[in-house]
Amino acid sequence: MPNNVVYQGDETSQDRMSRAINGLPDNMTTISWKASDNSSHELTRVGLKEILFLAGQEQTRIWFS
């Protein structure tokens, strides 16, 4: 996770991340994103992609456990 912050990774959250990633105009622009503890963080497309990737990995781990 970026900066060791935990974010929601359920399917609804993954959908929101995908829309935000697609909507950001470049890799430098930031978007405010809430962490699991409700703290707000500024993330770039790159940060959101990392969170989305890790959420997908964890979801796959759970499904195949």
Side-chain angles (χ1 to χ4, degrees):
M1 300 280 147
N3 301 321
N4 294 319
V5 176
V6 176
Y7 295 93
Q8 295 291 339
D10 57 80
E11 289 182 0
T12 300
S13 297
Q14 290 179 41
D15 287 342
R16 288 186 61 239
M17 283 181 237
S18 292
R19 287 193 307 271
I21 289 164
N22 289 327
L24 286 169
D26 55 48
N27 288 339
M28 302 294 285
T29 303
T30 61
I31 186 171
S32 293
W33 206 263
K34 283 210 175 188
S36 294
D37 66 1
N38 284 326
S39 60
S40 185
H41 302 268
E42 293 297 313
L43 297 174
T44 63
R45 183 186 329 196
V46 174
L48 283 170
K49 281 183 168 182
E50 181 181 352
I51 295 165
L52 182 60
F53 174 75
L54 293 171
Q57 282 188 317
E58 180 63 12
Q59 193 170 34
T60 299
R61 186 193 65 78
I62 290 168
W63 287 342
F64 289 99
S65 291

